[in-house]
Amino acid sequence: MIFTKLILAHLLGDFILQPNSWVSDKENRKLKSKYLYFHVLIHTVLSFTFLWDIQLWWVAVLVGVSHFMIDVSKLYFQNIKTKKSWFFGDQLLHIAVITGISFYFNEFNFEFLNNQNILKIVMAALFLTSPTSIIIKTLLSSWTPVAEAQSNIQTESLSSAGKYIGILERLLVFTFIMVNHWEGVGFMVAAKSVFRFSDLAQAKQRKLTEYVLIGTLLSFGLAVLTGILIK
C-alpha cells in the first residue's frame, strides 16, 4: 500500500534520520538553515525509494513540497508555549497529506462507516474518555474530601493527571477485553494498586483512601461493563 510505504518513509525521515542538532538549527535559523532543506530532501528521496515506481515521482515531490511548507509554518508560528501543540499539529498535517494521497489512489474509502462493529467500538472508546470521567466525578461529588485532607498527597500532583490516568486505564482495560486478554485487566488493577494506594497509605487519610478506591473501582467497572456490552 502507498499509505504504508509513505508512513514508513515519514517515520524514518522525521524521527530516525533527523538529529536533535538539526531540529535546533532549524528552530534558530528557520529558512536560513541548511538542515531544513536536507530534511526535506531526505523525505523526498525516502518516499521515492519506498514507492520504487518512476511513474509516481510526482507523489514523492508532493510529499517533499508539502513537508517543506508545513515545517516552515511550524518554525515561524510556534513559540515556547505552543511548541507541543505545533508538534502534534505538524504530525497530523503530514499524515493528512499522506492519507489524501492514499484516497486519490482509492486505497481508502468510507465503507467502514457502514460497519456497525467498528462504529460500536469507536462509540465505546469515546464514551470511556471524558464522558465517563464526568459521570464518575458526578457520582462522587457528595463524597469529595475537603482540601485539607488532600493537601498531603496532592501538593506536587500534575495538573489534571488523575483525569488522564483514568482515561488511559479505561481505554487499556477496554482494549484488553476486546482482544480477549482478561489477564491484562488484572495486571492493570495490580499496577494501579501498587502505585496509588502506597501513596495513600503514607498520607494516612482514610476518607481520601476510600474516595480514591471507590473512584478506581467505578473507573475499572465501567470499562469492564462497556467491554462486555460491546462484545
Side-chain angles (χ1 to χ4, degrees), residues 46-158:
L46 283 173
S47 297
F48 183 78
T49 301
F50 280 108
L51 291 172
W52 204 249
D53 187 341
I54 192 66
Q55 294 182 346
L56 297 179
W57 64 269
W58 62 273
V59 173
V61 173
L62 177 60
V63 169
V65 172
S66 65
H67 203 98
F68 175 81
M69 295 173 64
I70 293 169
D71 276 16
V72 169
S73 298
K74 181 183 72 171
L75 291 173
Y76 277 94
F77 289 107
Q78 74 176 6
N79 53 49
I80 296 177
K81 292 182 178 180
T82 63
K83 191 172 183 178
K84 180 170 66 175
S85 299
W86 268 102
F87 169 78
F88 289 108
D90 169 83
Q91 293 302 315
L92 286 174
L93 287 172
H94 291 317
I95 294 174
V97 170
I98 294 173
T99 303
I101 294 172
S102 300
F103 269 109
Y104 176 80
F105 287 98
N106 296 317
E107 288 191 341
F108 296 120
N109 53 53
F110 293 98
E111 290 183 1
F112 69 92
L113 293 176
N114 296 320
N115 190 319
Q116 294 300 313
N117 290 329
I118 292 178
L119 292 179
K120 287 178 182 178
I121 292 174
V122 173
M123 176 193 68
L126 289 175
F127 168 73
L128 291 173
T129 57
S130 293
T132 303
S133 296
I134 295 172
I135 291 172
I136 293 173
K137 183 178 180 180
T138 302
L139 289 172
L140 297 178
S141 59
S142 59
W143 294 332
T144 303
V146 294
E148 290 79 10
Q150 302 181 55
S151 59
N152 289 336
I153 65 169
Q154 290 193 353
T155 53
E156 297 182 359
S157 176
L158 297 175

Side-chain angles (χ1 to χ4, degrees), residues 175-217:
T175 301
F176 287 136
I177 294 174
M178 295 307 297
V179 296
N180 289 317
H181 281 286
W182 284 84
E183 66 275 13
V185 179
F187 171 79
M188 288 292 300
V189 173
K192 180 70 176 289
S193 301
V194 170
F195 287 107
R196 187 56 165 154
F197 296 116
S198 60
D199 291 338
L200 291 170
Q202 293 176 6
K204 297 180 180 179
Q205 294 289 347
R206 180 172 179 177
K207 290 183 178 180
L208 183 57
T209 301
E210 292 172 343
Y211 174 82
V212 173
L213 179 58
I214 294 172
T216 298
L217 291 176

